[in-house]
């Protein structure tokens, strides 16, 4: 029997859970309640939690293998399974990875086994702003016409890490192909799977891909599919990347000396759904991928030019 109280906070998604202290061991009954709530509401907030790094990792590991963050800079010195999203200087130097995530995305979609659950713990927050928005991708899929759904079911999307990625990460994850429509392994529901790393569709030209990507992204982020979370210090939030996209809103003073926004992050690895993208088709991103694989720019351009002619 669980004492957890669940209060929906958005029409599209989101619930606040109270009546539980996550710094204490999690009972099986509470775990089951939380998992069911997550399947129903997709994003959960546990306000007012006092959590150590180990508490965060212990909780996350109940939901699956926790990412070791081996390709991520700015791991927390106390526990490398935790990373920091922060507007504060790191090791005495300013850094700007806190600007990441300001386009709609699903975490680490550039990997064959993208993140299933992301967990964020708010340590410092501006008085106002620094919000995160989430969009329900079940709704996005379910509101597309059956004719277009049938077409989209056949498509595979090329996901490519953005240019601002570290060289280490870009080399490790050159490009990956995912189905455009994902079936959630727990709920069996279909969801649109897109995000800022989606660059085109396998077998389609750039001219064909881009307008469809633009349309689907606009549709997937319609206001009625969105919940906007205004953070409070000690909020512990988790969400399911397999049926949500999210975006970090730059709605606060990000200049040096501005208010701090500091969160601790932990990622639960998801199932493998992708395959490596190796076909050179003449897309501009083929050149980018070839460069990342250590091929010289001239060689890469020659390969891409030959395949597109
Ligand atoms: Fe993210």
């Amino acid at each position: 029997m669980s004492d957890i109280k669940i209060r929906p906070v958005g029409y599209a998604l989101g619930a606040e859970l109270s009546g539980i202290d996550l710094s204490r061991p999690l009972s099986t009954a509470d775990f089951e309640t939380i998992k069911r709530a997550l399947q129903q509401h997709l994003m959960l907030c546990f306000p007012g939690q006092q959590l150590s790094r180990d508490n965060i990792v212990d909780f996350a590991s109940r939901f699956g293998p926790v990412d070791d963050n081996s390709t991520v800079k700015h791991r927390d010195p106390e526990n490398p399974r935790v990373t920091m999203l922060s507007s504060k200087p790191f090791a005495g130097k300013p850094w700007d990875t806190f600007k990441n995530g300001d386009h709609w995305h699903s975490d680490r979609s550039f990997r064959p086994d993208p993140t299933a659950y992301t967990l964020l713990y708010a340590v410092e927050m501006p008085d106002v702003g620094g919000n995160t928005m989430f969009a329900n991708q079940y709704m996005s899929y379910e509101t597309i016409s059956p004719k277009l759904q049938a077409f989209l079911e056949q498509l595979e999307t090329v996901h490519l890490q953005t240019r601002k990625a570290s060289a280490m990460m870009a080399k490790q994850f050159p490009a990956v192909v995912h189905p455009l429509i994902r079936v959630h392994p727990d709920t069996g529901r279909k969801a649109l799977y897109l995000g800022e790393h989606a660059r085109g569709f396998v077998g389609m030209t750039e001219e064909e891909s881009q307008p469809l990507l633009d349309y689907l992204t606009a549709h997937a982020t319609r206001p009625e599919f969105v919940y906007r979370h205004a953070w409070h210090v000690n909020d512990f939030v988790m969400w399911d990347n397999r049926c949500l996209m999210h975006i970090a809103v730059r709605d606060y003073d990000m200049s040096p000396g501005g208010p701090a926004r500091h969160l601790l992050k932990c990622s639960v690895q998801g199932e493998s759904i992708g395959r490596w993208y190796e076909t050179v088709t003449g897309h501009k991103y083929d050149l980018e991928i070839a460069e990342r694989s250590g091929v010289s720019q001239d060689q890469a351009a020659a390969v891409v030019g030959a395949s597109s002619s």
Side-chain angles (χ1 to χ4, degrees):
M1 182 67 186
S2 171
D3 294 327
I4 296 176
K5 293 187 178 49
I6 302 169
R7 183 176 73 87
V9 291
Y11 170 70
L13 65 116
E16 191 175 282
L17 271 61
S18 56
I20 183 163
D21 177 355
L22 296 180
S23 69
R24 301 171 68 84
L26 189 65
S27 70
T28 303
D30 284 343
F31 169 72
E32 293 297 335
T33 299
I34 292 168
K35 187 141 193 195
R36 274 198 306 276
L38 196 53
Q39 286 173 6
Q40 186 177 351
H41 300 285
L42 320 187
M43 171 266 172
L44 306 177
C45 177
F46 303 85
Q49 297 289 325
Q50 302 286 336
L51 302 177
S52 67
R53 274 73 170 163
D54 289 348
N55 291 153
I56 294 169
V57 174
D58 287 349
F59 177 80
S61 63
R62 293 293 293 271
F63 293 85
V66 173
D67 202 302
D68 64 6
N69 299 317
S70 59
T71 58
V72 182
K73 286 197 288 186
H74 309 302
R75 281 173 280 178
D76 190 276
E78 281 181 40
N79 190 327
R81 291 185 183 269
V82 172
T83 57
M84 294 173 290
L85 297 177
S86 185
S87 61
K88 299 200 294 188
F90 181 68
K93 293 183 188 160
W95 56 300
D96 63 358
T97 52
F98 69 97
K99 293 178 183 171
N100 291 355
D102 63 344
H103 292 87
W104 284 102
H105 66 285
S106 179
D107 279 344
R108 301 183 189 171
S109 74
F110 49 84
R111 292 170 45 141
D113 53 350
T115 304
Y117 303 110
T118 303
L119 302 95
L120 286 183
Y121 181 53
V123 179
E124 291 180 70
M125 274 291 150
D127 288 340
V128 291
N131 297 172
T132 304
M133 298 201 296
F134 301 87
N136 182 331
Q137 295 311 297
Y138 291 139
M139 281 183 167
S140 168
Y141 171 77
E142 289 161 4
T143 50
I144 290 172
S145 66
K147 280 272 189 197
L148 184 54
Q149 280 178 347
F151 173 65
L152 300 180
E153 299 263 2
Q154 310 164 39
L155 296 189
E156 295 180 304
T157 315
V158 179
H159 289 249
L160 179 60
Q161 174 59 290
T162 48
R163 281 191 179 274
K164 62 189 173 188
S166 70
M168 175 174 62
M169 196 181 264
K171 195 156 189 165
Q172 192 158 348
F173 303 110
V176 73
V177 174
H178 289 307
L180 174 60
I181 309 299
R182 275 189 88 160
V183 179
H184 195 287
D186 297 333
T187 65
R189 293 175 70 185
K190 290 179 179 173
L192 203 58
Y193 190 57
L194 274 176
E196 67 170 327
H197 304 298
R199 300 285 283 273
F201 299 107
V202 175
M204 290 173 61
T205 65
E206 284 186 271
E207 290 77 13
E208 292 165 342
S209 291
Q210 196 57 53
L212 183 56
L213 271 177
D214 292 343
Y215 163 70
L216 291 174
T217 303
H219 171 77
T221 56
R222 277 163 50 173
E224 61 268 37
F225 304 157
V226 170
Y227 164 71
R228 181 171 182 142
H229 187 66
W231 290 90
H232 295 94
V233 170
N234 296 334
D235 276 356
F236 186 48
V237 165
M238 76 180 297
W239 69 86
D240 190 336
N241 286 287
R242 297 166 296 186
C243 48
L244 289 183
M245 284 204 290
H246 62 283
I247 182 170
V249 186
R250 294 190 188 182
D251 57 350
Y252 66 104
D253 178 6
M254 297 177 77
S255 60
R261 183 179 188 270
H262 188 87
L263 299 114
L264 301 179
K265 177 179 178 181
C266 191
S267 305
V268 175
Q269 212 170 308
E271 60 282 359
S272 185
I273 57 157
R275 60 182 169 84
W276 296 112
Y277 173 76
E278 286 166 346
T279 314
V280 175
T281 57
H283 285 234
K284 284 196 200 90
Y285 52 72
D286 289 325
L287 182 60
E288 213 174 305
I289 295 164
E291 285 171 17
R292 290 171 183 207
S293 306
V295 177
S296 79
Q297 203 160 356
D298 287 351
Q299 285 172 314
V303 171
V304 172
S307 74
S308 58
S309 59

